[in-house]
Amino acid sequence: MSRSERKWDHIRFALKNQEKPLSAFDELKFIHQSLPNISTLDVRLDHSVGELCLSSPIFINAMTGGGGEKTYRINKELAQVANDTGLAMAVGSQMAAIKDKTERYTYEVVRKENPSGIVIANLGSEATPDQAKEAIEMVEANALQIHLNVIQELTMPEGDRDFSGALYRIESIVRAVDVPVIVKEVGFGMSRETVKSLSSVGVSVIDVGGFGGTNFAEIENNRRERVLSFFADWGIPTPVSIIEASSIAGHDVAIVGSGGFRGAIDIVKGIAIGAEAVGMAGFFLQTLIEKGIDSLKEEVKTIHHEMAIIMTALGAASIADLQKAPLMITGETYHWLNQRGIDTKIFSQRCIK
Ligand SMILES: Cc1cc2nc3c(=O)[nH]c(=O)nc-3n(C[C@H](O)[C@H](O)[C@H](O)COP(=O)(O)O)c2cc1C
């Protein structure tokens, strides 16, 4: 199967993979505030993540490019949405265009459609420093994402089997490029030990990419004859992963959350437990393909509006305030954190002012 056919398979199967009846975000509950003492007009959504100044804490996470016309059109429309709504946007893995230059246009369109926005390049951890520089130059990127996708590769019939040396290669890239490097998972989450290792080699932003959203084990299992069913529910749920990661994050590393965010309340909860920004992929793709570009622009504007409403109810005028809002952690999320030695009372007993 060609790389370009595989890209389309991922999109097709990802669209079928968006129905999730249960969400770990339901196990986080805000403590109601009867005297929030602010107006919706006070609420500001702009925020800095490391060196990146974002007008919204939401970004369009890495999805596509490198699969000819169909992926060109998706990237073009996603970039138009980003341009119109002020969201940062990551492109899908650019290895396809590094290996086959005729695919460059499917990524370059993202910068053309959004000349002054925040665009993030993307490669896997097999990349060399020269390939990283080429990916950044291709879209005049403001940052570079390096994805870690061990479970996806192991499930992929034609996937990689050797993951040795990834941390060393990431360190070489961090030293070689002059934009911030964001290391991300693709839906299996990161433990605090992984976050520690990444921050020790100079990675300044970490997207924990937790379990609960688009599931690449399921997507790749659709493409296998013998299914690896043991990977279907493998991974650290997104809220757990954000809390684990931010429990050790210092001043030099920012934690970003992604994996299963579908609306304003999930995003607000993700930020309240420690994420500096939130990436969304599958839900945006589904809205774009099933409802069209205007519906996606509307959806983003509605999410921003609803975030302001929820933040008003909490008395949080800024993203920094929101990160101090008190909340209860219940159910499996509570048990998981407890077993990992993280005291959840920090969240239930704090206050904004
Ligand atoms: C169709 C599709 C293609 C993807 N391709 C990439 C990719 O090339 N590089 C990458 O880092 N992540 C890729 N991802 C993963 C997303 O960036 C994100 O980590 C994952 O989908 C979980 O977020 P979600 O639940 O909001 O979809 C892809 C996701 C989708 C849906």
Side-chain angles (χ1 to χ4, degrees), residues 25 49 54 56-63 87-90 120 145 182 184-185 206-210 213-214 238 242 255-263 266-267 270-271 275-284:
F25 295 111
V49 178
L54 307 180
S56 162
I58 312 169
F59 66 98
I60 302 172
N61 219 343
M63 279 184 278
L87 301 196
M89 172 179 168
I120 305 170
Q145 283 182 333
I182 304 168
K184 74 180 284 268
E185 250 291 349
I206 296 175
D207 175 352
V208 297
T214 304
T238 299
I242 293 173
I255 301 303
V256 168
S258 68
F261 288 90
R262 296 185 65 84
D266 300 344
I267 298 166
I271 294 169
E276 305 290 345
V278 163
M280 293 166 82
F283 175 68
F284 282 164

Side-chain angles (χ1 to χ4, degrees), residues 140-162:
E140 297 164 51
N142 305 88
L144 168 70
Q145 283 182 333
I146 302 284
H147 63 259
L148 303 176
N149 64 343
V150 172
I151 301 299
Q152 180 187 5
E153 292 290 344
L154 288 173
T155 316
M156 201 188 292
E158 68 277 38
D160 292 340
R161 297 292 181 262
D162 179 3

Side-chain angles (χ1 to χ4, degrees), residues 72-90:
Y72 164 81
R73 231 173 304 130
I74 292 174
N75 268 347
K76 182 175 179 179
E77 294 194 339
L78 288 174
Q80 288 169 348
V81 173
N83 187 49
D84 217 61
T85 57
L87 301 196
M89 172 179 168

Side-chain angles (χ1 to χ4, degrees), residues 139-207:
V139 292
E140 297 164 51
N142 305 88
L144 168 70
Q145 283 182 333
I146 302 284
H147 63 259
L148 303 176
N149 64 343
V150 172
I151 301 299
Q152 180 187 5
E153 292 290 344
L154 288 173
T155 316
M156 201 188 292
E158 68 277 38
D160 292 340
R161 297 292 181 262
D162 179 3
F163 305 98
S164 37
L167 190 62
Y168 170 76
R169 286 190 297 279
I170 290 169
E171 182 173 19
S172 315
I173 290 173
V174 170
R175 287 172 192 268
V177 303
D178 52 11
V179 295
V181 173
I182 304 168
V183 176
K184 74 180 284 268
E185 250 291 349
V186 301
F188 301 94
M190 281 192 211
S191 68
R192 66 183 159 205
E193 292 77 10
T194 303
V195 170
K196 243 183 218 165
S197 300
L198 291 170
S199 74
S200 76
V201 299
V203 174
S204 56
V205 183
I206 296 175
D207 175 352

